[in-house]
């Protein structure tokens, strides 16, 4: 079983949306981590852009938060898994930029998967070398001053349209942890 994500025809007419869709696929497919959604294929059929990923059964963290209050142990377990995924992504020069409960799936066995790299930004690695994913220099940046993401979970730098790095994702994870604890 797999999941299909298809870009609706109305969005396919917009080059920016197509670019973001393809960026999500490139960013996520370059990562191999148990807490990051696995992308199997990216393609186009009869003019429709699609990606094929693993099917993750369970609940979004948003749905889980709306249920019974999370135990401290579960909050910590979810936080550690998301942090591990972010370490892997940041190690490859990828900043997610949209960490929020809707982009985190919790499987029935407790495994957490980070989804939706549609706003991912590629940056240089800490050692100054280029990232290992083959994306042109033009794709490594977005429009200066553009605000992308979900305002409620953005770092101050991201909300102000400044350039961000992995610390922005960590800030967002902190907000998600805060929300999990408070319900």
């Amino acid at each position: 079983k797999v999941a299909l994500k298809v870009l609706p025809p109305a969005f396919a007419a917009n080059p920016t949306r197509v670019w973001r869709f393809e960026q999500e696929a490139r960013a996520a497919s370059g990562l191999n981590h148990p807490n990051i959604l696995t992308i199997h294929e990216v393609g186009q059929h009869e003019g429709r852009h699609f990606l094929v990923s693993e099917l993750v059964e369970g609940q979004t963290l948003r749905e889980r938060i709306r249920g019974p209050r999370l135990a401290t142990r579960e909050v910590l377990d979810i936080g550690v898994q998301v942090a591990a995924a972010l370490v892997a992504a940041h190690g490859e020069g990828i900043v997610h930029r949209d960490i929020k409960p809707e982009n985190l799936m919790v499987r029935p066995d407790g495994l957490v998967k980070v989804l939706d790299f549609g706003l991912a930004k590629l940056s240089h690695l800490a050692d100054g070398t280029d990232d290992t994913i083959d994306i042109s220099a033009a794709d490594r940046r977005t429009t200066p001053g553009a605000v992308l993401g979900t305002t409620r979970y953005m770092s101050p730098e991201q909300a102000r349209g400044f350039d961000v790095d992995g610390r922005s994702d960590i800030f967002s994870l902190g907000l998600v942890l805060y929300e999990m604890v408070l319900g």
Side-chain angles (χ1 to χ4, degrees):
K1 292 183 178 181
V2 296
L4 294 173
K5 184 172 186 177
V6 179
L7 192 61
F11 290 170
N14 180 327
T16 302
R17 290 197 184 224
V18 171
W19 180 83
R20 290 221 174 275
F21 185 79
E22 291 171 348
Q23 178 174 326
E24 172 185 2
R26 285 192 303 260
S29 67
L31 299 171
N32 182 14
H33 190 275
N35 297 113
I36 297 175
L37 181 75
T38 300
I39 303 292
H40 298 299
E41 184 178 353
V42 180
Q44 193 176 16
H45 179 71
E46 297 179 358
R48 299 198 68 181
H49 298 269
F50 69 89
L51 66 84
V52 180
S53 71
E54 70 177 301
L55 176 64
V56 181
E57 302 206 23
Q59 296 180 301
T60 65
L61 184 56
R62 168 69 60 225
E63 293 167 330
R64 182 64 192 89
I65 290 171
R66 287 184 179 141
R69 179 167 231 126
L70 296 169
T72 302
R73 179 181 206 98
E74 188 176 6
V75 170
L76 293 173
D77 183 50
I78 290 169
V80 166
Q81 290 184 65
V82 175
L86 293 177
V87 166
H90 297 163
E92 293 295 324
I94 298 172
V95 181
H96 189 281
R97 297 198 303 180
D98 202 20
I99 296 296
K100 60 184 178 182
E102 290 80 2
N103 287 339
L104 305 171
M105 285 290 292
V106 182
R107 292 187 342 189
D109 64 0
L111 186 71
V112 177
K113 292 280 190 171
V114 177
L115 314 174
D116 198 353
F117 280 77
L119 297 181
K121 173 185 177 282
L122 299 169
S123 60
H124 294 286
L125 297 175
D127 65 5
T129 60
D130 282 343
D131 57 85
T132 57
I133 298 173
D134 184 22
I135 295 181
S136 71
D139 290 349
R140 286 197 184 112
R141 50 187 162 35
T142 54
T143 307
V147 178
L148 301 169
T150 304
T151 307
R152 184 175 177 178
Y153 297 95
M154 286 182 185
S155 66
E157 298 78 17
Q158 186 175 358
R160 292 166 59 195
F162 295 159
D163 196 29
V164 297
D165 58 26
R167 294 173 291 185
S168 186
D169 286 344
I170 294 167
F171 183 93
S172 299
L173 174 57
L175 294 173
V176 170
L177 290 168
Y178 182 81
E179 189 172 349
M180 281 193 291
V181 169
L182 293 180

